[in-house]
Amino acid sequence: MASFVLPHALHGRGAHKVIAVHGWFADRSAFDPVLPDLDRDTFQYALVDLRGYGEAKAAAGAYTTGEGAADVLALADRLGWERFSVIGHSMGGSVAQRVLAAAPHRLRRLVGISPVPASGLPLPPEQWELFAGAAHAPDNRRVIIDLTTGGQRPAAWLDRMVRRSLECSDPKAFRAWLDSWATEGFAAEVEGSAVPALAVTGTLDPALNAELARQTWLRWYADSELVELPSAGHYAMDETPLELIRAVEDFLRADGDDRPRA
């Protein structure tokens, strides 16, 4: 039987290869707002759909961050990318750190955008009910998006984000992913890593914020940085795309291992 290949789209032709992993509420279209302004000469981005999302909406699987990391590494093999950087948004940040745990020698740089920490994200009972119910309740999804962007975004945008999340995700997979990213901890597998690591957080995000990054990301990773975007909440790709691109690409470009373009 042929192995599963993550659906993906390639953008750019640069020498620095980057795999970008979406979060819980979206497929790879989560990165659409930043696509027009990426540096396609320096970088080549592979945007993926995790199992249960987008073109992989019907794909069977365990829907865990460990499985997602294995899928990412398999895709890198298929693309012929021996070394690459990885970017993960929210849940995708947990997947990205699982990639680090599994194959640190292959990672050039690690970026988490409002990343779920490798320790998981324990939720109090009322929040767990809200999140678990979001698999089948659009209103729950809307409340979560509104809360994590500081209650400052227009209603039409919230409605659009909910519609996108419903269209691009399978409810069963969506619910299963929650169990993995929220409850599974693997911090001991990444603590002390010397791979350069950047956390980008939004001031308007009350949960996956700069303080949490300081307690986790900056303590675990020996060569780590934090950028806080004052006008962003949890969805910096939508809320502050240009500021996000600048923060991420400046960090990736500092790797210094890219060959000059022909």
Side-chain angles (χ1 to χ4, degrees), residues 152-211:
Q152 297 190 26
R153 302 308 177 206
W157 180 80
L158 296 173
D159 293 339
R160 178 168 63 83
M161 294 287 281
V162 171
R163 286 195 303 272
R164 182 181 71 179
S165 74
L166 292 169
E167 292 167 359
C168 78
S169 64
D170 172 75
K172 179 182 177 181
F174 185 89
R175 177 62 185 81
W177 276 106
L178 172 65
D179 286 338
S180 182
W181 65 256
T183 68
E184 296 174 359
F186 57 96
E189 299 177 40
V190 297
E191 190 168 1
S193 170
V195 172
L198 170 69
V200 182
T201 62
T203 301
L204 302 180
D205 187 345
L208 294 167
N209 52 26
E211 182 53 35

Side-chain angles (χ1 to χ4, degrees), residues 78-94:
R78 187 179 183 87
L79 294 171
W81 294 1
E82 177 58 31
R83 295 192 71 239
F84 57 94
S85 294
V86 63
I87 298 171
H89 173 242
S90 192
M91 174 181 82
S94 182

Side-chain angles (χ1 to χ4, degrees), residues 50-201:
L50 295 171
R51 298 180 194 234
Y53 291 88
E55 293 180 28
K57 187 175 178 180
Y63 311 117
T64 65
T65 57
E67 178 184 69
D71 286 342
V72 166
L73 287 166
L75 176 62
D77 291 341
R78 187 179 183 87
L79 294 171
W81 294 1
E82 177 58 31
R83 295 192 71 239
F84 57 94
S85 294
V86 63
I87 298 171
H89 173 242
S90 192
M91 174 181 82
S94 182
V95 173
Q97 291 170 91
R98 287 280 196 184
V99 174
L100 172 64
H105 59 287
R106 298 189 64 178
L107 284 196
R108 294 176 64 163
R109 298 207 151 209
L110 170 70
V111 177
I113 304 167
S114 300
V116 172
S119 54
L121 190 70
L123 299 171
E126 65 277 7
Q127 287 189 16
W128 181 261
E129 183 177 351
L130 174 68
F131 278 64
H136 297 283
D139 286 348
N140 287 37
R141 299 192 188 206
R142 195 180 194 278
V143 168
I144 292 167
I145 296 169
D146 193 26
L147 286 172
T148 56
T149 52
Q152 297 190 26
R153 302 308 177 206
W157 180 80
L158 296 173
D159 293 339
R160 178 168 63 83
M161 294 287 281
V162 171
R163 286 195 303 272
R164 182 181 71 179
S165 74
L166 292 169
E167 292 167 359
C168 78
S169 64
D170 172 75
K172 179 182 177 181
F174 185 89
R175 177 62 185 81
W177 276 106
L178 172 65
D179 286 338
S180 182
W181 65 256
T183 68
E184 296 174 359
F186 57 96
E189 299 177 40
V190 297
E191 190 168 1
S193 170
V195 172
L198 170 69
V200 182
T201 62

